[in-house]
Coordinates of all heavy atoms in Angstrom, one line a residue:
K117 N 4.1 13.1 -6.2 CA 3.9 11.7 -6.4 C 3.6 11.4 -7.9 O 4.1 10.4 -8.5 CB 2.8 11.2 -5.6 CG 3.1 11.1 -4.1 CD 2.0 10.5 -3.3 CE 2.3 10.4 -1.8 NZ 1.2 9.9 -1.0
E118 N 2.8 12.3 -8.6 CA 2.5 12.1 -10.0 C 3.7 12.2 -10.8 O 4.0 11.4 -11.8 CB 1.4 13.0 -10.4 CG 0.9 12.8 -11.8 CD 0.2 11.5 -12.0 OE1 -0.3 10.9 -11.0 OE2 0.2 11.0 -13.1
N119 N 4.5 13.2 -10.5 CA 5.8 13.4 -11.3 C 6.7 12.3 -11.1 O 7.4 11.8 -12.0 CB 6.4 14.7 -10.9 CG 5.6 16.0 -11.2 OD1 4.6 15.8 -11.9 ND2 5.9 17.1 -10.6
L120 N 6.8 11.8 -9.9 CA 7.6 10.6 -9.6 C 7.2 9.4 -10.3 O 8.0 8.6 -10.8 CB 7.6 10.4 -8.1 CG 8.6 9.3 -7.6 CD1 10.0 9.7 -7.9 CD2 8.5 9.1 -6.0
K121 N 5.8 9.3 -10.5 CA 5.3 8.1 -11.2 C 5.7 8.2 -12.7 O 6.1 7.2 -13.3 CB 3.8 8.2 -11.1 CG 3.1 7.0 -11.8 CD 1.6 7.1 -11.7 CE 0.8 6.0 -12.4 NZ -0.6 6.1 -12.3
I122 N 5.7 9.4 -13.3 CA 6.2 9.5 -14.7 C 7.7 9.2 -14.8 O 8.1 8.5 -15.7 CB 6.0 11.0 -15.1 CG1 4.5 11.3 -15.2 CG2 6.6 11.3 -16.5 CD1 4.1 12.7 -15.5
A123 N 8.5 9.7 -13.8 CA 9.9 9.4 -13.8 C 10.1 7.9 -13.7 O 11.0 7.3 -14.4 CB 10.6 10.1 -12.7
R124 N 9.4 7.2 -12.9 CA 9.6 5.7 -12.7 C 9.2 5.0 -14.0 O 9.8 4.0 -14.4 CB 8.7 5.2 -11.5 CG 9.4 5.6 -10.2 CD 8.4 5.2 -9.0 NE 9.1 5.5 -7.8 CZ 8.4 5.5 -6.6 NH1 7.1 5.2 -6.6 NH2 9.1 5.7 -5.5
S125 N 8.1 5.5 -14.7 CA 7.7 4.9 -15.9 C 8.8 5.0 -17.0 O 9.0 4.0 -17.7 CB 6.4 5.5 -16.4 OG 5.3 5.3 -15.5
I126 N 9.4 6.1 -17.0 CA 10.5 6.3 -17.9 C 11.7 5.3 -17.6 O 12.3 4.7 -18.5 CB 11.0 7.7 -17.9 CG1 9.9 8.7 -18.4 CG2 12.3 7.9 -18.7 CD1 10.2 10.1 -18.2
L127 N 12.0 5.2 -16.4 CA 13.0 4.2 -16.0 C 12.7 2.8 -16.4 O 13.5 2.1 -16.9 CB 13.3 4.3 -14.5 CG 13.9 5.6 -13.9 CD1 13.9 5.6 -12.4 CD2 15.4 5.7 -14.4
H128 N 11.4 2.4 -16.2 CA 11.0 1.1 -16.5 C 11.1 0.9 -18.0 O 11.5 -0.2 -18.5 CB 9.6 0.8 -16.0 CG 9.5 0.8 -14.6 ND1 8.3 1.0 -13.9 CD2 10.4 0.5 -13.6 CE1 8.5 0.9 -12.6 NE2 9.7 0.6 -12.4
A129 N 10.7 1.9 -18.8 CA 10.8 1.8 -20.3 C 12.2 1.7 -20.7 O 12.5 0.9 -21.6 CB 10.1 3.0 -20.9
K130 N 13.1 2.4 -20.1 CA 14.5 2.3 -20.4 C 15.0 0.9 -20.2 O 15.8 0.3 -21.0 CB 15.3 3.3 -19.6 CG 16.8 3.2 -19.7 CD 17.4 3.3 -21.1 CE 18.9 3.1 -21.2 NZ 19.4 3.1 -22.5
E131 N 14.7 0.3 -19.1 CA 15.1 -1.1 -18.8 C 14.6 -2.0 -19.8 O 15.3 -2.9 -20.3 CB 14.6 -1.5 -17.4 CG 15.3 -0.7 -16.3 CD 14.7 -1.0 -14.9 OE1 13.8 -1.9 -14.9 OE2 15.2 -0.5 -13.9
A132 N 13.3 -1.9 -20.2 CA 12.8 -2.7 -21.3 C 13.5 -2.6 -22.6 O 13.8 -3.6 -23.3 CB 11.3 -2.4 -21.4
L133 N 13.8 -1.4 -23.0 CA 14.5 -1.1 -24.2 C 15.9 -1.7 -24.1 O 16.4 -2.3 -25.1 CB 14.6 0.4 -24.5 CG 13.3 1.1 -24.9 CD1 13.5 2.6 -24.9 CD2 12.8 0.6 -26.2
A134 N 16.6 -1.6 -23.0 CA 17.9 -2.2 -22.8 C 17.9 -3.7 -23.0 O 18.8 -4.3 -23.6 CB 18.5 -1.7 -21.5
R135 N 16.9 -4.3 -22.4 CA 16.8 -5.8 -22.5 C 16.6 -6.3 -23.9 O 17.0 -7.4 -24.3 CB 15.7 -6.3 -21.6 CG 16.0 -6.2 -20.1 CD 15.0 -7.1 -19.3 NE 13.6 -6.5 -19.5 CZ 13.1 -5.7 -18.6 NH1 13.8 -5.2 -17.6 NH2 11.9 -5.2 -18.8
Q136 N 16.0 -5.4 -24.8 CA 15.7 -5.8 -26.1 C 16.9 -5.4 -27.0 O 16.8 -5.6 -28.3 CB 14.5 -5.1 -26.6 CG 13.2 -5.6 -25.9 CD 12.0 -4.8 -26.4 OE1 11.9 -4.4 -27.5 NE2 11.0 -4.7 -25.5
N137 N 18.0 -4.8 -26.4 CA 19.1 -4.4 -27.2 C 18.8 -3.4 -28.3 O 19.3 -3.4 -29.4 CB 19.9 -5.6 -27.8 CG 20.4 -6.5 -26.7 OD1 21.0 -6.0 -25.7 ND2 20.3 -7.8 -26.9
I138 N 17.8 -2.5 -28.1 CA 17.5 -1.5 -29.1 C 18.5 -0.4 -29.0 O 18.7 0.2 -27.9 CB 16.0 -1.0 -28.8 CG1 15.0 -2.1 -28.9 CG2 15.7 0.1 -29.8 CD1 13.6 -1.7 -28.6
P139 N 19.1 0.0 -30.1 CA 20.1 1.1 -30.0 C 19.4 2.4 -29.7 O 18.3 2.7 -30.1 CB 20.7 1.1 -31.4 CG 19.6 0.5 -32.3 CD 18.9 -0.5 -31.4

Side-chain angles (χ1 to χ4, degrees):
K117 291 183 178 180
E118 185 63 27
N119 298 346
L120 186 60
K121 182 180 178 181
I122 295 173
R124 285 174 176 168
S125 297
I126 294 172
L127 289 172
H128 293 158
K130 169 60 179 176
E131 291 175 1
L133 289 172
R135 284 195 297 268
Q136 296 175 31
N137 296 317
I138 298 176

